[in-house]
Amino acid sequence: MTILAGYALLTGSAQEYKVPVTNEHEKMAEGQYQPQWESLKKHKTPEWFQDAKFGIWAHWGPQCVEGSGDWMARGMYEEGSYAYNYHKEHYGHPSEVGFKDILPLFKAEKWDPDKLVERYKRLGAQYFFVLGNHHDNFDLWESKYQPWNAVNMGPKRDLIDGWAKAAKRHGLPLGISFHADHAWTWYEPSQRYDVKGPKAGVYYDGKLTKADGKGKWWEGYDPQDLYAQNHPMSEWAWANGSIHKQWAWGNGACLPTKEYVTNFYDRTLDAINRYNPDLIYFDVTVVPFHDISDCGLKIASHFYNKNPRAVMFGKILDDEQRKALTWDVERGAPNEIVKEPWQTCNCIGGWHYNTGIYERNGYKSAATVIRQLVDIVSKNGNLLLSIPLRADGTYDEKEAIILDGIEAWMAVNKESIIGTRPWVKFGEGPVAEKDIKLNAQGFNDGQYSKMDSRDIRFNQTKKHLYVTPLGWPEDGKVVVKSLAKGNPYFKKGITKVELLGFGRLKAVQTAQGLEVQLPKTDDNIAPVLKIAK
């Protein structure tokens, strides 16, 4: 790296980027923040977010139509994959029926945003997230810069507007996630063709243009505004897994044009200006188009200048970047207390609705969700949990049971989550003592899936310490080693504790730990012990 290039990465000076955006359409808000790391580092994750701890995400869009799972709009172009086979059998060959043709089938006919948001608030959610666009490049609002949007086709409704109004009515901060920056490479399989079978050599629909739409339902629309494939394919683009290595626009990824990057910038600012979210999320390394464009830093400066309550998330952040952005970990967690507030984004099933997960009873249980929530909060994190919705805008009856379980636990134990802070240590027990590494942006969820009563987590308020075994012991006996007699962390003697939802219990401090006998109960998730400081 040259000295000049290194300076560009540090300061974010736009003239050094390969693909700088223009501000011809959407102007950055002016204020104390500039699109440079040193300036953005002055923004601190606000206290309200650190208090919130728990959010719900409606990760919902047209890829839910077929029910074949996340990334179906890419998978349907990967010959031999489940999504490809399902699409070909039920809808048609991707050379004749592409993802564009699925959009009119996304009708959201049973969608009731007010009812859903009210349900999520009863669960204990303190903020609410919606999908603005996914890698499929379809905008879920009345987008000024993307004609392929939910008002022009599909539901023919401004979905973000409906969600935003419901969130406001129920007093929940609104978050919007934007994923369309990667459509450029993500849709590259749509440029392929079958290599075997009767359609061998017949190209899929990814290279169609506006002129090809004469007499079709999409006449007047340019498929390239959706697929963005009027460009050479990246290196190894026929290898389905190569996109993961190229996610940060390296390793042979075809670089996007200035027009494409600016379009994403314009669309994102359009949504921010219309709906005034308090949080925005990008499924990217650091910020959108990191290292190749100033797009992400300009979005951040606009957002921070426009909203002093703003929270903007980034993945795979170094220590300096975490001073400017709020770190997001996907489907996992670090196994330590993190100094700056952070968030795990996770899902009870697949990111887009998956009938296979439903049929094989593959959802996370309420117990698993609660135990992971307690673990994350003990480490200074928040949990953003997605509840998959079907294309009609409803969740299924198995998901309803999970929501009921979360609500029942939170109704009793919410005070041990909302508004708390980490203690001097996050926990004890087998999982706490393991050396659990993150895999890229997270993906160590499985390491936390079998926590039980031996795993204990701590968090606190100014007046109380909360001690939560992540399961109900079979014999009802809890021994908290970290609170043993003479421990260096909590020097006040403990003779009584309160079990939330029950009342006071006797406690005995021995050299082995604080010993508490729990009452018999049908609860099998996680008892919460409350100890006065």
Side-chain angles (χ1 to χ4, degrees), residues 126-141:
Q126 303 296 296
Y127 55 103
F128 175 67
F129 248 96
V130 301
L131 193 69
N133 49 42
H134 199 251
H135 311 316
D136 59 23
N137 213 21
F138 183 77
D139 283 355
L140 293 161
W141 74 95

Side-chain angles (χ1 to χ4, degrees), residues 408-423:
W409 189 90
M410 288 290 281
V412 173
N413 300 292
K414 183 177 176 180
E415 70 171 82
S416 71
I417 299 294
I418 310 304
T420 63
R421 296 292 184 271
W423 192 44

